[in-house]
Amino acid sequence: MSAVHDPRTGDVVGHLTLLTSDGVPEIANRASVALPGWSAVAVTTRCTILKELARLIAQRPADLGARFALETGKTVAQAEAELDRAAETFAWTAEAAVQASAGRTIAAGDGLHRQVLVDPVGPVLAIVASNFPAVVLARKLGPALAMGCTVVVKAPETTPSVVREIADLAIKAGLPTDVLQVVYTDAVGSAALVARPEFRLITFTGSHRTGQLVAAGAVGHLAECVLELGGHAPAILLDDADLATAVPALVASKFSSAGQSCAAPSRFLVHERIHAEFVDRFSAAVPGLDHEPGGTMGPLHTEARRDEVHALVLDAVDRGATVITGGRRPGGPGWYYPATVLTDVPAQARVLHEEPFGPIAPVLRFTDEDQAVTTANATPFGLGAFVFGGQARATALAQRLDAGRVSINCATGADPMSPLSGRGLSGYGYEGGLEGLAAFGRLKVLQRPV
């Protein structure tokens, strides 16, 4: 059994029965047996089911947002917004999948007719992260189902309700039995799932360390992987950055979900001419905790995450960093940690090298653009980055950053239409866009004399 906690209080709010490794073969076999029937269903019919699922999520049960917020520590508004994004993702996937699965004809002029077909890759294992479980699920499940794959979802045991609810809505929308299975398990059970030869693609979102284990476990049966792993995104502010635009955008991106986002900015590189003004504006705009008057930021998801965030702050301070705001672990119940702004952070501080995955904002200064680019790229992570400044300068600098996505004078999250992929320890493979759909298909060429 595994306990489910309310991060605001630490109280146990539920229990889960975990799948043991002994039960893994049956789960994998059911996904394999269900594949021929599901892949034979017309893509238009599969997409009709996804559209209905999107509709059901959009008109969801009244208490789903509150239950989602209870388990994740998000505010109800954040939970509802994520559910809307999940619905949008399923709906977009349903529209785009017909094109992605269409195939093509090759005219070579050599007397042969060649037709490229798109088959489903096979049963898929989707391992969903706990920080954005609804959206991460939609970005994996939607494309897999649309392309004709069966799916086993290893759901986060700390946030079980939203994944289970979406799976139930998928059945209500018309999804056949065993095309989608949701399981909860521990590290041993997860390793057993990854090792099953039935799974031809494993799509995983989580830390780079766990991603490395997933990739290693998939090697034995040569399953392909799509790995969306950690990040350490720099936010570069040039001397002509519009702080009235940059500060609210970066505050919202950094502290949404208490900073527990691999795509959030985690290092702020600010030109020395505007450094002091940025620090003043940014630290004044950070959110308070949601159990305080006017506060909007919830707790961290687990007690261990809260303690690790505090350890990163203490390490930076011990090495000479200055705390502008936050930096103290609050008393009382729950796993809260305040929005923390640090300056004078030395290069050796752990927070500049390890993904903070929490509400810590180290602010560094630079004097020229080459220095900023060198500092920004001095990390093994390459998921995202942000640049604020005059449009031409910011765009030119963005092209020099080693990251899968660079936001220029904005700080919005991933959308369904655009491919997202990391570099280095941030993973490989694509989620989102037509490229993300293509990950769940395999090409077959038929050729014959004309």
Side-chain angles (χ1 to χ4, degrees):
M1 295 289 286
S2 176
V4 181
H5 294 85
D6 174 0
R8 288 183 169 81
T9 63
D11 294 341
V12 175
V13 294
H15 290 88
L16 289 173
T17 299
L18 300 183
L19 176 73
T20 67
S21 56
D22 290 341
V24 165
E26 179 186 353
I27 294 293
N29 181 65
R30 286 165 61 183
S32 184
V33 169
L35 179 68
W38 177 241
S39 62
V41 173
V43 64
T44 52
T45 301
R46 299 196 297 257
C47 290
T48 296
I49 293 173
L50 288 182
K51 290 176 184 178
E52 176 63 8
L53 174 58
R55 188 188 71 81
L56 291 173
I57 295 172
Q59 67 164 34
R60 56 191 164 267
D63 67 337
L64 180 55
R67 283 186 283 134
F68 189 14
L70 174 69
E71 293 178 350
T72 60
K74 298 176 186 285
T75 65
V76 172
Q78 290 171 342
E80 295 283 2
E82 183 177 340
L83 289 166
D84 287 338
R85 286 175 58 202
E88 176 191 9
T89 300
F90 280 116
W92 181 87
T93 301
E95 293 294 337
V98 175
Q99 175 186 349
S101 61
R104 60 192 173 95
T105 298
I106 298 174
D110 61 355
L112 290 180
H113 176 276
R114 295 178 176 87
Q115 185 179 8
V116 181
L117 305 180
V118 183
D119 292 335
V121 64
V124 169
L125 174 62
I127 303 176
V128 175
S130 61
N131 56 337
F132 291 95
V135 166
V136 171
L137 175 67
R139 290 173 67 85
K140 300 178 186 302
L141 179 61
L145 294 178
M147 298 300 284
C149 303
T150 54
V151 186
V152 172
V153 175
K154 188 278 177 188
E157 57 272 15
T158 54
T159 57
S161 292
V162 69
V163 176
R164 173 57 65 191
E165 185 75 36
I166 291 175
D168 289 345
L169 292 176
I171 299 300
K172 186 176 180 181
L175 197 68
T177 302
D178 287 347
V179 171
L180 169 62
Q181 300 175 78
V182 175
V183 301
Y184 308 94
T185 189
D186 57 15
V188 174
S190 295
L193 284 166
V194 168
R196 290 302 303 181
E198 292 89 344
F199 296 118
R200 302 314 308 152
L201 185 140
I202 302 169
T203 172
F204 168 82
T205 298
S207 73
H208 76 278
R209 293 181 181 86
T210 305
Q212 290 168 326
L213 295 176
V214 169
V219 166
H221 56 290
L222 294 181
E224 298 190 38
C225 294
V226 175
L227 304 176
E228 200 271 283
L229 309 180
H232 211 326
I236 300 176
L237 289 93
L238 302 175
D239 57 359
D240 59 351
D242 177 6
L243 295 184
T245 298
V247 168
L250 290 171
V251 166
S253 180
K254 174 63 202 177
F255 298 108
S256 176
S257 296
Q260 297 167 108
S261 169
C262 54
S266 55
R267 296 171 292 147
F268 296 79
L269 314 179
V270 184
H271 193 280
E272 62 178 0
R273 293 178 186 169
I274 62 171
H275 180 272
E277 183 182 359
F278 174 81
V279 170
D280 288 345
R281 288 193 182 206
F282 189 84
S283 57
V286 301
L289 301 176
D290 67 1
H291 60 23
E292 300 171 343
T296 59
M297 191 175 76
L300 289 161
H301 184 52
T302 65
E303 185 176 18
R305 184 71 248 153
R306 189 270 312 273
D307 293 345
E308 180 58 23
V309 165
H310 189 51
L312 290 174
V313 172
L314 293 180
D315 172 79
V317 172
D318 287 345
R319 296 176 187 272
T322 300
V323 177
I324 302 300
T325 188
R328 293 188 177 183
R329 187 165 52 192
W335 302 320
Y336 286 93
Y337 199 84
T340 299
V341 179
L342 304 174
T343 61
D344 307 314
V345 183
Q348 299 80 15
R350 288 174 54 203
V351 73
L352 297 183
H353 303 279
E354 302 174 25
E355 183 181 18
F357 211 69
I360 315 172
V363 184
L364 314 177
R365 68 179 76 218
F366 69 89
T367 56
D368 64 76
E369 294 179 17
D370 289 341
Q371 176 190 359
V373 170
T374 298
T375 302
N377 287 339
T379 173
F381 298 99
L383 186 61
F386 306 82
V387 183
F388 286 83
Q391 198 71 14
R393 288 177 63 201
T395 300
L397 190 145
Q399 293 172 351
R400 300 169 62 191
L401 298 179
D402 190 17
R405 183 184 67 202
V406 184
S407 300
I408 302 169
N409 291 324
C410 64
T412 56
D415 64 273
M417 300 170 286
S418 303
L420 175 65
S421 180
R423 300 179 179 186
L425 291 186
S426 290
Y428 52 78
Y430 291 94
E431 281 197 349
L434 293 175
E435 295 82 358
L437 276 159
F440 295 93
R442 286 297 169 267
L443 303 182
K444 177 190 296 180
V445 178
L446 302 182
Q447 57 184 19
R448 57 176 173 78
V450 175

